[in-house]
Amino acid sequence: MFAKAFRVRSNTAIKGSDRRKLRADVTAAFATLGTDQVSELIPGKEELNVVKLYTHKGDTVTVYTSGGNPILFELEKNLYPTVYTLWSYPDLLPTFTTWPLVLEKLVGGADLMLPGLMVPPAGLPQVQKGDLCAIALVGNRAPIAIGVAVLSTAEMLAAGLKGRGFSVLHTYQDHLWRSGDKSSPPSIAPPVQDAADVSEEKVQGDMRGLALQGEEGHREGSLPEASEDGSIQDPSPDPMDGRSLQEQMDDLLQQCFLQALKCRVKKADLPLLTSTFLGSHMFSCCPEGRQLDIKKSSYKKLSKFLQHMQQEEIVQVKELNRGVESIVAVDWKHPRITSFVVPETSPTSQTVQAASREQPYHPPDIKALYCVPASMTLLFQESGHNRHRCTWGGDLRTENGKSQHLKNTQGQCLQTGLQTSELVATVLRSHRAVNTACGLSSQCLTESQHKASSPAVVLSSEVGSYPV
């Protein structure tokens, strides 16, 4: 709604009676807020302004500002909190979690699609269709968007987490946020269970499911079945390989790790959440027909595996936020990265990738068309061009030249010349009639008649000129 600039109609201080009414409306709209919290949100003596504005789509919105920051906005008699308010009261609304890469799309005005949701171990919050919800990013409970649920939680799960999930109204970094102090979201750590499970294990099932939607949609449109702990079941080990499943998974884990660092992660991406590194980069490097499951490796957890890689001085991992680890440095000159050979892509995958590449842009071929006006119909009658008929310029010249060509004998040339002279004279008379209707003076008409009576039409160098 606020993805583009809005126009302010008025900005006035709120009256005492309106302040009390607003406090009552907030209490009714947000039952989770206590009396003290409502009084803190809508102070009794501090300055509180009412801003009426028009969005770029023409909607009339009332915004309430306190301390220079928008705290609430009202649309069609419904109150909505801004991100500034939700940062102070993060539990005000049921919160759904998505991935950091989705934020850019939401700021641009896109709605949140269900495949972009991260399902926590405790399950999705229970909401009904039309309920107001908050949207946060993985690793930080501070909401970055406010939206309305398009489906209930039961309907979302019944749809297989596919389709549109939330109609987004307001986001961090949109123009409503810019009207405040432009502060960044605070770091609010998620619950301990979410921080441990989401960043290392649960993300496997969710992000792998998103990848499979695009890469294996031909398999009856269904996702792989997940186990009770949320991880995706890995296919049976290769019977031709004498190693155990755990050893094979260790090798696959290190292969995906090295390939992700060598081919996908750039220096500008750092610091990078370990959960994002696993879900967006390592899973994408998994060979076709195999599935990465850290639980079936000897490391069991991503954090333990990254600690081992840190001991080898390949990466450096730090806990920038409480319970959330990030990769802050990578040694791309490490021998294990430089000596790693990226596996060749199978012919089937190469064919799919080639087919999915965007075709180069070819500009349209524009050609000019010519239309025969009513006053020139007689001149082009023999060539078969009727009134208002469109044709190419080259065809028009060629066909008209063929119909008016001269014969070799002098008598035939003379007869053709007389016919053409009569035809041109008829055309000129038609032009005179048009000029007269347009209000030309009689003097100009006389001059044009005088000019028209002079020899002007040359049919051939052999025949000479014939007066019209």
Side-chain angles (χ1 to χ4, degrees):
M1 176 175 292
F2 303 102
K4 297 183 180 180
F6 50 79
R7 180 168 60 90
V8 177
R9 189 182 72 177
S10 63
N11 187 350
T12 58
I14 194 171
K15 300 178 181 179
S17 58
D18 293 337
R19 189 189 297 259
R20 290 190 295 270
K21 181 179 181 301
L22 178 60
R23 190 179 290 115
D25 292 340
V26 170
T27 303
F30 309 107
T32 56
L33 285 179
T35 305
D36 295 339
Q37 293 175 322
V38 173
S39 300
E40 181 182 349
L41 179 63
I42 312 296
K45 295 182 179 180
E46 295 183 10
E47 183 179 0
L48 186 65
N49 286 16
V50 181
V51 181
K52 295 186 181 296
L53 52 88
Y54 296 111
T55 66
H56 68 283
K57 292 184 178 180
D59 297 324
T60 303
V61 181
T62 301
V63 179
Y64 298 93
T65 63
S66 176
N69 286 335
I71 57 174
L72 298 165
F73 65 95
E74 184 177 355
L75 175 65
E76 297 179 354
K77 298 183 179 180
N78 294 322
L79 274 178
Y80 303 94
T82 65
V83 290
Y84 291 105
T85 299
L86 292 179
W87 293 342
S88 300
Y89 310 98
D91 298 324
L92 180 61
L93 301 174
T95 303
F96 291 80
T97 308
T98 187
W99 308 102
L101 295 177
V102 179
L103 175 60
E104 181 182 356
K105 304 297 182 182
L106 298 181
V107 174
D111 290 334
L112 179 60
M113 310 302 287
L114 292 177
L117 290 181
M118 190 283 299
V119 183
L124 296 174
Q126 295 298 318
V127 297
Q128 299 298 322
K129 180 179 180 181
D131 286 355
L132 188 61
C133 304
I135 301 169
L137 299 180
V138 173
N140 191 354
R141 201 158 51 95
I144 50 87
I146 296 96
V148 177
V150 178
L151 303 172
S152 65
T153 303
E155 291 172 337
M156 294 178 188
L157 297 175
L161 293 182
K162 296 179 181 179
R164 191 165 69 106
F166 301 88
S167 177
V168 178
L169 301 177
H170 161 54
T171 67
Y172 160 65
Q173 292 185 347
D174 67 2
H175 284 269
L176 183 60
W177 169 83
R178 295 179 189 178
S179 65
D181 59 12
K182 300 180 182 180
S183 57
S184 300
S187 297
I188 305 177
V192 178
Q193 181 182 7
D194 291 349
D197 294 341
V198 168
S199 61
E200 299 179 6
E201 299 170 359
K202 184 61 182 178
V203 67
Q204 300 182 47
D206 296 326
M207 289 303 291
R208 186 60 182 172
L210 290 177
L212 290 174
Q213 280 185 338
E215 298 174 3
E216 302 181 3
H218 61 280
R219 299 184 182 179
E220 301 179 359
S222 60
L223 298 179
E225 296 183 358
S227 60
E228 295 180 357
D229 59 3
S231 63
I232 296 178
Q233 297 295 336
D234 187 69
S236 57
D238 188 357
M240 301 300 295
D241 195 337
R243 298 174 300 170
S244 64
L245 175 61
Q246 187 179 80
E247 293 176 339
Q248 294 184 38
M249 192 57 63
D250 286 348
D251 290 344
L252 179 61
L253 182 61
Q254 296 198 25
Q255 174 186 329
C256 295
F257 171 78
L258 295 174
Q259 184 174 347
L261 292 180
K262 187 169 186 177
C263 303
R264 298 185 62 87
V265 179
K266 307 299 180 184
K267 187 175 181 180
D269 298 332
L270 303 179
L272 181 64
L273 289 173
T274 56
S275 58
T276 304
F277 175 67
L278 173 65
S280 300
H281 300 290
M282 289 184 64
F283 278 137
S284 301
C285 298
C286 189
E288 184 180 3
R290 301 195 65 184
Q291 296 176 4
L292 184 62
D293 191 347
I294 298 181
K295 285 186 176 181
K296 296 183 178 180
S297 67
S298 60
Y299 302 98
K300 303 300 180 183
K301 290 186 177 182
L302 178 63
S303 58
K304 186 176 180 181
F305 171 74
L306 291 178
Q307 288 176 3
H308 181 72
M309 295 296 103
Q310 186 171 230
Q311 292 174 358
E312 295 189 20
E313 299 182 351
I314 300 177
V315 295
Q316 184 179 356
V317 181
K318 287 186 177 181
E319 188 175 342
L320 300 181
N321 296 322
R322 182 180 177 183
V324 181
E325 293 183 338
S326 299
I327 299 176
V328 297
V330 178
D331 183 11
W332 276 285
K333 296 182 179 180
H334 193 278
R336 291 199 60 184
I337 297 180
T338 56
S339 61
F340 177 76
V341 179
V342 179
E344 295 183 0
T345 309
S346 62
T348 305
S349 301
Q350 293 178 353
T351 305
V352 173
Q353 292 177 1
S356 61
R357 291 174 185 168
E358 185 179 357
Q359 296 296 328
Y361 172 74
H362 296 287
D365 186 13
I366 302 176
K367 294 182 180 180
L369 288 176
Y370 294 87
C371 182
V372 178
S375 59
M376 306 290 288
T377 304
L378 296 177
L379 184 62
F380 295 94
Q381 185 174 11
E382 294 186 8
S383 61
H385 291 85
N386 299 326
R387 179 182 177 183
H388 301 313
R389 176 186 172 186
C390 296
T391 185
W392 305 109
D395 297 342
L396 189 65
R397 288 189 294 268
T398 302
E399 295 179 9
N400 190 54
K402 290 181 180 180
S403 63
Q404 302 294 337
H405 73 281
L406 299 179
K407 305 297 181 181
N408 293 330
T409 60
Q410 183 174 0
Q412 290 175 337
C413 290
L414 180 59
Q415 183 179 2
T416 304
L418 293 176
Q419 292 177 354
T420 305
S421 299
E422 294 176 358
L423 184 58
V424 174
T426 303
V427 172
L428 292 176
R429 283 195 296 271
S430 299
H431 277 288
R432 295 191 191 103
V434 173
N435 293 336
T436 304
C438 294
L440 293 177
S441 64
S442 59
Q443 181 178 358
C444 293
L445 181 59
T446 304
E447 293 178 359
S448 63
Q449 290 174 347
H450 177 72
K451 292 179 180 179
S453 62
S454 59
V457 179
V458 179
L459 297 178
S460 173
S461 59
E462 298 177 359
V463 178
S465 300
Y466 294 92
V468 179

